[in-house]
C-alpha cells in the first residue's frame, strides 16, 4: 500500500492529465454506445423495466453493437475518422429522447425512496481500488506488472493486431500472427480508439481507460445480478467484485477480461430475471 501511494504521488500529475484527456474519449464511446443501446432495449420492449436494468442493458448491448459495427465496417475497409465520429455523434444524439424518458421515470426504482440512501456509503470501500485502477491505466503497457510478460499479450495482439489492421486500412487475415485468429470483440473497441485518434500510440491510454470503464460496468452488472435477490445481496456482490485485487490488476492492461466479465455478468443477470418474469421471459432470453 505504501509503495502504491508513493507511486501514485510521483505519477499523479501525469495520471490526472491522461485520465481527463483519454478518459473523456473513452466515456464518449460508452455514452454513444449506451445511446444506441437504449433503442435496442426499446426494440426488445424492455423500456418499462427498472432504470438500472435499462441503463446496463443499453451499455452492454450498445457496446456489443458498436464492436460488431467496427468489425463489419473494418472488413469493408471503412476506417475513416470522420465517419466514425459521425456515427458516435449519432449514437449520442439519438439516445437523447429515450434518455429523457428514462430520467422522468427514475422514481420507479425503489432504491430512490427515503430511508435507503444510507446503503450508498458502503460503496466508498471501493474508492481506493478504483483510484489505483485509474493510476495503473495511465502507465504504458509492459512496465507496471512483471507477471504479464512485459506487455506481451497487449503488444502482440490486444493492441498490436488492431494497430496492424489500422495501418493496413482494413481488417484482414494476418498470416504472421496466430493470435489474430481469435474472435475479437473488445479489440474492436480498441481499434475504434485508434481510428478516433488517427494513430496507434495516442490511442493506447484511451484503450486502457476504456478497459477501466468495462471493469466498472462489470462491477455494476454483478451488482445488478445480486440485486435481484435483494438490496443487501446486490451490495455484497458488487463490493466483492469492486474490491477484488485482480480486477484492479486487469485495469492496468488493455486486456479483454473486463469486457468478458461485464457481458458474462450481464448475461447471468438477464438469465435470473428471465426465470423471475415468466410473462416476459422471451424478451429477457433474447436480450
Amino acid at each position: 500500500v505504501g509503495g502504491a501511494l508513493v507511486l501514485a504521488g510521483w505519477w499523479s500529475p501525469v495520471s490526472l492529465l491522461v485520465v481527463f484527456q483519454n478518459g473523456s474519449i473513452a466515456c464518449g464511446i460508452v455514452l454513444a454506445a449506451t445511446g444506441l443501446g437504449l433503442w435496442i432495449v426499446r426494440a426488445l420492449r424492455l423500456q418499462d423495466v427498472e432504470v438500472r436494468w435499462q441503463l446496463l442493458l443499453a451499455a452492454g448491448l450498445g457496446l456489443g453493437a458498436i464492436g460488431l459495427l467496427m468489425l463489419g465496417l473494418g472488413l469493408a475497409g471503412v476506417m475513416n475518422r470522420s465517419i466514425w465520429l459521425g456515427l458516435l455523434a449519432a449514437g449520442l444524439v439519438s439516445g437523447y429522447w429515450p434518455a429523457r424518458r428514462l430520467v422522468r421515470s427514475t422514481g420507479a426504482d425503489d432504491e430512490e425512496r427515503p430511508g435507503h440512501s444510507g446503503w450508498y456509503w458502503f460503496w466508498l470501500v471501493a474508492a481506493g481500488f478504483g483510484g489505483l485502477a485509474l493510476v495503473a491505466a495511465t502507465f504504458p503497457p509492459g512496465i507496471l506488472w512483471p507477471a504479464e510478460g512485459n506487455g506481451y499479450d497487449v503488444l502482440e495482439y490486444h493492441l498490436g493486431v488492431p494497430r496492424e489492421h489500422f495501418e493496413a486500412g482494413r481488417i484482414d487475415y494476418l498470416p504472421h500472427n496466430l493470435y489474430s485468429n481469435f474472435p475479437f470483440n473488445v479489440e474492436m473497441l480498441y481499434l475504434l480508439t485508434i481510428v478516433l485518434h488517427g494513430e496507434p500510440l495516442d490511442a493506447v491510454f484511451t484503450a486502457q481507460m476504456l478497459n477501466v470503464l468495462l471493469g466498472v460496468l462489470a462491477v455494476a452488472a454483478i451488482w445488478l445480478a445480486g440485486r435481484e435477490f435483494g438490496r443487501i445481496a446486490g451490495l455484497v456482490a458488487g463490493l466483492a467484485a469492486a474490491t477484488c485485487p485482480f480486477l484492479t490488476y486487469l485495469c492496468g492492461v488493455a486486456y479483454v477480461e473486463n469486457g468478458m466479465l461485464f457481458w458474462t455478468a450481464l448475461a447471468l443477470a438477464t438469465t435470473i430475471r428471465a426465470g423471475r418474469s415468466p410473462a416476459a421471459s422471451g424478451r429477457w432470453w433474447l436480450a
Side-chain angles (χ1 to χ4, degrees):
V1 173
L5 290 175
V6 171
L7 180 66
W10 170 72
W11 191 250
S12 57
V14 179
S15 292
L16 286 173
L17 184 63
V18 171
V19 167
F20 282 113
Q21 285 188 342
N22 300 86
S24 60
I25 299 173
C27 286
I29 293 172
V30 173
L31 287 175
T34 303
L36 171 63
L38 285 171
W39 287 103
I40 302 176
V41 169
R42 290 176 68 87
L44 292 170
R45 293 188 295 137
L46 293 172
Q47 70 272 20
D48 294 323
V49 300
E50 298 94 326
V51 172
R52 59 180 181 267
W53 269 104
Q54 292 188 58
L55 286 176
L56 285 170
L57 278 176
L61 293 168
L63 283 168
I66 290 290
L68 289 173
L69 185 61
M70 182 74 251
L71 175 61
L73 292 180
L75 287 167
V78 180
M79 292 191 185
N80 183 278
R81 182 173 183 264
S82 298
I83 290 176
W84 273 100
L85 284 172
L87 290 172
L88 292 178
L92 281 170
V93 173
S94 67
Y96 170 78
W97 288 275
R100 186 177 178 182
R101 181 184 179 278
L102 197 61
V103 169
R104 290 177 177 174
S105 64
T106 51
D109 273 357
D110 55 3
E111 296 152 294
E112 303 299 326
R113 294 191 308 221
H116 294 151
S117 59
W119 294 103
Y120 296 146
W121 291 100
F122 285 96
W123 286 103
L124 289 175
V125 176
F129 292 86
L132 186 57
L134 283 173
V135 171
T138 63
F139 280 80
I143 68 171
L144 195 59
W145 312 130
E148 48 100 22
N150 297 318
Y152 178 83
D153 286 1
V154 173
L155 300 175
E156 182 67 22
Y157 63 100
H158 288 313
L159 295 181
V161 168
R163 186 214 70 190
E164 291 199 57
H165 290 324
F166 174 77
E167 291 176 347
R170 66 183 303 112
I171 295 174
D172 206 350
Y173 173 60
L174 301 178
H176 59 277
N177 193 322
L178 173 69
Y179 302 105
S180 66
N181 293 287
F182 284 149
F184 282 177
N185 294 296
V186 175
E187 286 93 348
M188 290 296 99
L189 300 178
Y190 294 160
L191 175 57
L192 176 57
T193 66
I194 297 176
V195 172
L196 293 178
H197 278 279
E199 66 94 31
L201 288 181
D202 287 343
V204 168
F205 297 110
T206 302
Q208 292 183 168
M209 286 294 149
L210 188 57
N211 182 48
V212 172
L213 289 177
L214 288 171
V216 173
L217 288 170
V219 171
I222 291 168
W223 164 79
L224 185 69
R227 184 64 183 79
E228 288 297 295
F229 299 96
R231 187 173 293 103
I232 295 178
L235 179 68
V236 171
L239 283 179
T243 58
C244 176
F246 198 64
L247 183 62
T248 304
Y249 177 98
L250 288 170
C251 288
V253 284
Y255 281 4
V256 302
E257 279 78 1
N258 283 355
M260 183 168 62
L261 182 61
F262 169 46
W263 280 303
T264 302
L266 197 57
L268 172 63
T270 52
T271 300
I272 295 170
R273 176 54 74 94
R276 291 166 170 251
S277 308
S281 61
R283 285 176 278 165
W284 287 104
W285 283 116
L286 185 58

